[in-house]
Amino acid sequence: QKEVEQNSGPLSVPEGAIASLNCTYSDRGSQSFFWYRQYSGKSPELIMSIYSNGDKEDGRFTAQLNKASQYVSLLIRDSQPSDSATYLCAANSNYQLIWGAGTKLIIKP
Amino acid sequence: SQTIHQWPATLVQPVGSPLSLECTVEGTSNPNLYWYRQAAGRGLQLLFYSVGIGQISSEVPQNLSASRPQDRQFILSSKKLLLSDSGFYLCAWSVQAFYGYTFGSGTRLTVV
């Protein structure tokens, strides 16, 4: 069974601090990895994709990939209350994305 | 640009009634299409996916079915709804899973 695992949280972070979200995946054949943000009652929205080892930065967001450790992370710098949401990690496997259960992030003003 | 439409946004249906949810994609051809369900506070459960017209793969045996009558149209159906069918239903499309999915806005289904 191919899996993506995330800590369900909630992860509570003070406003302005760095939020660090992590996930691990089981399929060594996965080649692409994604972070989606889902606000309560809304559909998931893609915020970061990463395909190669190392870091990828986009504004306040940095995705990190370590294929040897099968580990993906998302850093959110200068966290804002609007970043409060559930963050879903996903890895491709054949025709599908395999999804983690999501980490609930709470940014405290 | 590509857009995905999903309707209705909310639906309240009695137990035993039929269901039809529709999803359409614009601006692309031969997309991969997916139906997911998300129970309250839970993760995404893949229900069906399709890589072409008339081709449907079912991931979870249950009283739901899916059809793809046209290239960019994906329909989720049930003949008789159960209480356990309540949830947030999401349609998604991709060129290939390698590039990620784009989700529709979802349908909140409550079976009463």
Side-chain angles (χ1 to χ4, degrees):
Chain A
Q1 182 92 7
K2 295 168 184 173
E3 295 180 332
V4 172
E5 296 190 352
Q6 298 180 252
N7 188 319
S8 62
L11 175 64
S12 186
V13 173
E15 183 176 357
I18 296 175
S20 178
L21 305 166
N22 307 307
C23 88
T24 59
Y25 61 94
S26 64
D27 183 4
R28 284 198 171 274
S30 295
Q31 295 295 316
S32 58
F33 306 88
F34 306 91
W35 284 100
Y36 284 75
R37 178 177 62 200
Q38 186 176 23
Y39 292 116
S40 180
K42 302 295 185 182
S43 61
E45 171 193 16
L46 178 64
I47 55 171
M48 289 291 285
S49 58
I50 187 165
Y51 301 94
S52 55
N53 278 332
D55 295 0
K56 178 183 178 182
E57 186 174 321
D58 184 1
R60 297 186 295 111
F61 299 97
T62 299
Q64 300 175 318
L65 173 60
N66 183 325
K67 289 185 179 180
S69 301
Q70 296 177 250
Y71 179 89
V72 190
S73 65
L74 178 71
L75 301 178
I76 307 175
R77 290 181 299 280
D78 188 23
S79 296
Q80 303 297 310
S82 59
D83 295 325
S84 296
T86 295
Y87 288 79
L88 303 172
C89 176
N92 84 302
S93 181
N94 298 324
Y95 291 110
Q96 306 173 23
L97 294 185
I98 307 300
W99 295 87
T103 298
K104 185 173 184 178
L105 176 65
I106 299 171
I107 306 300
K108 299 181 297 181
Chain B
S1 64
Q2 302 91 359
T3 56
I4 179 169
H5 302 281
Q6 191 179 343
W7 66 93
T10 59
L11 195 57
V12 179
Q13 293 284 96
V15 168
S17 64
L19 173 73
S20 180
L21 302 180
E22 189 164 341
C23 171
T24 59
V25 180
E26 295 178 356
T28 187
S29 297
N30 197 31
N32 293 337
L33 296 170
Y34 308 85
W35 278 112
Y36 281 88
R37 179 170 62 199
Q38 188 175 38
R42 306 293 295 275
L44 297 172
Q45 179 188 31
L46 178 63
L47 301 176
F48 302 95
Y49 70 92
S50 172
V51 298
I53 295 175
Q55 189 282 327
I56 308 292
S57 295
S58 174
E59 290 294 307
V60 183
Q62 53 198 338
N63 69 320
L64 299 173
S65 62
S67 62
R68 185 170 176 172
Q70 300 180 41
D71 180 43
R72 290 170 289 178
Q73 183 184 30
F74 206 22
I75 297 172
L76 181 70
S77 303
S78 174
K79 292 182 179 178
K80 289 185 177 181
L81 284 169
L82 306 173
L83 287 174
S84 58
D85 291 323
S86 294
F88 191 40
Y89 287 81
L90 290 157
C91 181
W93 79 272
S94 71
V95 173
Q96 295 179 35
F98 179 84
Y99 299 107
Y101 297 170
T102 299
F103 285 89
S105 54
T107 296
R108 177 79 55 192
L109 172 66
T110 303
V111 182
V112 295

